[in-house]
Each structure stands twice: as structure tokens, then as C-alpha cells.
Amino acid sequence: MSLPKKAAAVGAALGMAATLVVSAPAAAASNYIYNASNLGLGVIHVQDGNYTHGNYDVVLPKGQKTTIYWANAAGYYIGPGYCAYVWELSGGSWLLINDNVLPGQHYISTTRTIKVDVERTCGS
């Protein structure tokens, strides 16, 4: 094989190897919780039972997403005397999925993005 043909073959092999090395693994799932209420919302990073503030890890300020803290959120906490409306992001639109979420811890999957509005009374 002539020198130019060898160089072309080596270049092609290196190009293929570079393509294989550059290939990235599939992106991890991500989600967020948006606090649509006028109150802080307790949010949970990892569902492990070990939370910074007992029932949740941090208070999410009104109008904020959990992405200010983490790439993924595992859930949220509603305190005694409150309930919430919850919407799920679907196809770019928010769909109301529950108009009477009771107090306590609530968990979501890593592929689910929600909006929570905490109120004194909910539903009918």
C-alpha cells in the first residue's frame, strides 16, 4: 500500500475511533417541582427517609423550581392544616391532576414534572 493510501486508511480508522469515543451515554432523566403557591414548599431531593428538616430537605421559595437546588427532585411535603392543587407538565401544558392533595410527604418519579399550589382549603 502506498504512503498516501496508508495515511488515508489510518485517518479513516482514527476518525471512526474518535466517533466511538465521543459517543455519550443516554442522558439521565430529569424533573422539577414548581412552587406555584404564595408559601414556601418543603421539597425532597432523594427519597431516602433522611431529610434535613425531618419531613423535607429544603424550603422551595414561591415561584421557584427545584432546579435551583438539584437536577432531580423526589417529592414534596405539605404541612398540617394545608392541602394542595397539583398539576403535571404534559406536552408543554399544565394539566390539573389533583385538586385535594392532603398533608404529608408525596413522591414523584424522576420523569415527572409538577406544579404545586399549597392552600388552606382545597377541592370541594
Side-chain angles (χ1 to χ4, degrees):
M1 186 181 281
S2 70
L3 188 55
K5 286 184 181 178
K6 283 184 182 177
V10 169
L14 287 175
M16 179 180 249
T19 300
L20 295 174
V21 171
V22 172
S23 297
S30 64
N31 68 357
Y32 65 83
I33 297 170
Y34 173 70
N35 183 4
S37 64
N38 288 321
L39 308 168
L41 175 66
V43 290
I44 299 166
H45 182 212
V46 176
Q47 184 179 349
D48 60 5
N50 184 22
Y51 308 118
T52 307
H53 298 285
N55 293 308
Y56 58 90
D57 289 309
V58 67
V59 174
L60 182 65
K62 66 180 183 177
Q64 296 294 315
K65 298 176 185 175
T66 51
T67 53
I68 66 173
Y69 302 116
W70 322 293
N72 288 298
Y76 58 98
Y77 173 75
I78 300 171
Y82 293 88
C83 59
Y85 296 90
V86 175
W87 291 261
E88 185 168 17
L89 188 60
S90 177
S93 298
W94 291 106
L95 304 174
L96 181 64
I97 58 171
N98 194 333
D99 67 353
N100 197 24
V101 179
L102 299 176
Q105 293 173 324
H106 303 276
Y107 299 102
I108 64 172
S109 73
T110 57
T111 58
R112 193 166 169 221
T113 292
I114 63 168
K115 174 171 71 170
V116 179
D117 183 7
V118 178
E119 302 285 340
R120 277 277 185 200
T121 59
C122 296
S124 47

